[in-house]
């Protein structure tokens, strides 16, 4: 005898995020890592920070034009590669691992995302090809949905001063939000860019002064800026992951080689515990960063949650990993010749980029309706 069953109504389940790397993504990683090994070895990056030309134009040309990576987020129909945030995240992991002085995050991610929300396919294709570099004229510390400064529109031209603009010195075109609610494309030659003191010498910030600068309105600022900053915050977690992985890997390698009392320093239990804790934090950061990249790539309804979660976790881990690398390398880690200081400076600067961890925790609490005690 069969037991009657109650009919059920089919339910639609959201696909689970894919946190694993595909074969294509691993191949992309290997290609980018090989390229950066040729262009951005630690000694070369340190030497560049001491010069008056912090950006590695040759590395950028190889990445953007040679490999087509500047257009990963741009659909093929609009002049790009038609890839997703997942592939861009892999590139950023490797750039973080090398603290490469190239404007990839600011141009190929943030400025590109702003243009994707606007009607400026000509400019978008130029950024996608790598022929021009773009920068969103919003201070680096502004979080998605946060308030930002705008400029005045008077007599058909733009007037105002903006500070803390990352990679403005490298940009050929600036995307400037104005008081009238528009986003304007402004050629770099029409503004005055003055370098500001930057903790991270591989991603300098600058002051931008617009004095009757000509600009072309390309769309509405609010949705474009929010989209751009959300993508920037979400994929910044992948750069922070690369920073943390380099810090952990190099520290383990050093502690295996460095000897004290005729035994490797890494054999001491207290150091093992510190490295084990750092490994757990780094692995967890990878999960959070991959989740954010996948959510952005698939247009998930949980993308805001994924981005806030990734940034609230990844920023402190990157700083902790860089601090441990500096301390556990002992005296050599305190020298200018060793690259540990580059990673600590980038990690500290990243910790306030596109919103602090605290800002993202507050946003996350609101998104999931978690009330403060």
């Amino acid at each position: 005898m069969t037991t009657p069953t109650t009919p059920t109504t089919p339910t639609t389940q959201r696909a689970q995020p894919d946190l694993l790397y595909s074969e294509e993504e691993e191949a992309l990683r290997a290609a980018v890592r090989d390229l950066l090994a040729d262009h951005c070895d630690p000694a070369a990056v340190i030497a560049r920070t001491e010069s008056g030309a912090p950006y590695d134009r040759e590395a950028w040309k190889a990445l953007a034009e040679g490999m087509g990576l500047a257009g990963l987020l741009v659909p093929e129909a609009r002049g790009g590669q038609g890839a997703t945030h997942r592939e861009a995240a892999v590139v950023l992991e490797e750039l973080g691992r090398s603290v490469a002085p190239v404007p990839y995050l600011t141009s190929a991610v943030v400025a590109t995302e702003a243009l994707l929300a606007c009607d400026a396919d000509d400019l978008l294709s130029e950024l996608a090809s790598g022929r021009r570099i773009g920068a969103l004229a919003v201070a680096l510390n502004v979080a998605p949905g946060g308030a930002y400064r705008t400029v005045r529109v008077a007599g058909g031209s733009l007037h105002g001063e903006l500070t803390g603009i990352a990679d403005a010195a490298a940009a050929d075109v600036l995307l400037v939000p104005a008081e009238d609610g528009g986003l304007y494309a402004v050629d770099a030659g029409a503004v005055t860019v003055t370098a500001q003191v930057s903790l991270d010498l591989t991603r300098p910030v600058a002051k931008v002064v617009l004095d009757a600068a000509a600009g072309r309105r390309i769309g509405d600022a609010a949705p474009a800026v929010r989209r751009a900053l959300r993508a920037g915050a979400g994929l910044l977690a992948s750069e922070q992951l690369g920073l943390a992985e380099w810090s952990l890997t190099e520290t383990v390698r050093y502690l295996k080689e460095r000897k004290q009392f005729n035994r490797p320093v890494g054999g001491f239990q207290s150091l093992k515990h510190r490295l084990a804790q750092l490994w757990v934090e780094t692995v967890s950061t990878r999960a959070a960063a991959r989740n954010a990249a996948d959510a952005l790539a698939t247009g998930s309804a949980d993308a805001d949650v994924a981005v806030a979660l990734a940034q609230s976790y990844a920023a402190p881990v990157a700083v902790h990993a860089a601090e441990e690398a500096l301390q556990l390398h002992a005296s050599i880690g305190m020298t200018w010749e060793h690259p540990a200081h580059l990673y600590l400076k980038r990690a500290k600067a990243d910790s306030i980029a596109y919103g602090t961890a605290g800002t993202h925790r507050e946003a996350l609490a609101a998104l999931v309706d978690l009330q403060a005690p």
Side-chain angles (χ1 to χ4, degrees), residues 58-227:
E58 290 301 318
W60 172 253
K61 184 176 181 179
L63 288 166
E65 298 183 36
M67 297 183 67
L69 300 184
L72 285 181
L73 298 181
V74 181
E76 292 185 56
R78 302 178 72 176
Q81 301 297 321
T84 72
H85 300 78
R86 291 175 57 92
E87 289 78 16
V90 171
V91 175
L92 281 163
E93 285 182 32
E94 295 307 311
L95 294 176
R97 189 188 297 273
S98 299
V99 286
V102 295
Y104 187 86
L105 180 65
T106 48
S107 182
V109 176
V110 177
T112 294
E113 285 280 351
L115 289 174
L116 286 169
C118 299
D119 183 19
D121 283 2
D122 56 336
L123 186 54
L124 186 63
S125 64
E126 290 178 342
L127 261 63
S129 68
R131 295 192 302 270
R132 301 184 80 186
I133 295 172
L136 181 66
V138 172
L140 183 61
N141 66 305
V142 176
Y148 51 88
R149 295 185 65 179
T150 57
V151 299
R152 293 182 296 106
V153 181
S157 57
L158 303 175
H159 306 258
E161 179 181 298
L162 303 168
T163 58
I165 310 302
D167 292 334
D172 300 300
V173 60
L174 295 164
L175 307 181
V176 182
E179 289 180 351
D180 66 355
L183 186 68
Y184 289 79
V186 180
D187 286 338
V191 305
T192 301
V193 177
T194 305
Q196 294 180 286
V197 177
S198 304
L199 175 63
D200 179 11
L201 300 178
T202 63
R203 180 178 289 146
V205 297
K207 178 176 70 175
V208 176
V209 177
L210 299 94
D211 184 9
R216 171 167 66 105
R217 181 165 178 156
I218 56 176
D220 295 332
V225 170
R226 192 187 188 290
R227 172 174 177 167

Side-chain angles (χ1 to χ4, degrees), residues 325-349:
L326 190 73
Q327 293 175 12
L328 295 180
H329 273 81
S331 57
I332 187 63
M334 301 291 179
T335 65
W336 184 262
E337 290 74 17
H338 194 278
H341 64 93
L342 294 177
Y343 290 84
L344 180 57
K345 291 170 183 174
R346 173 67 71 88
K348 292 292 285 186

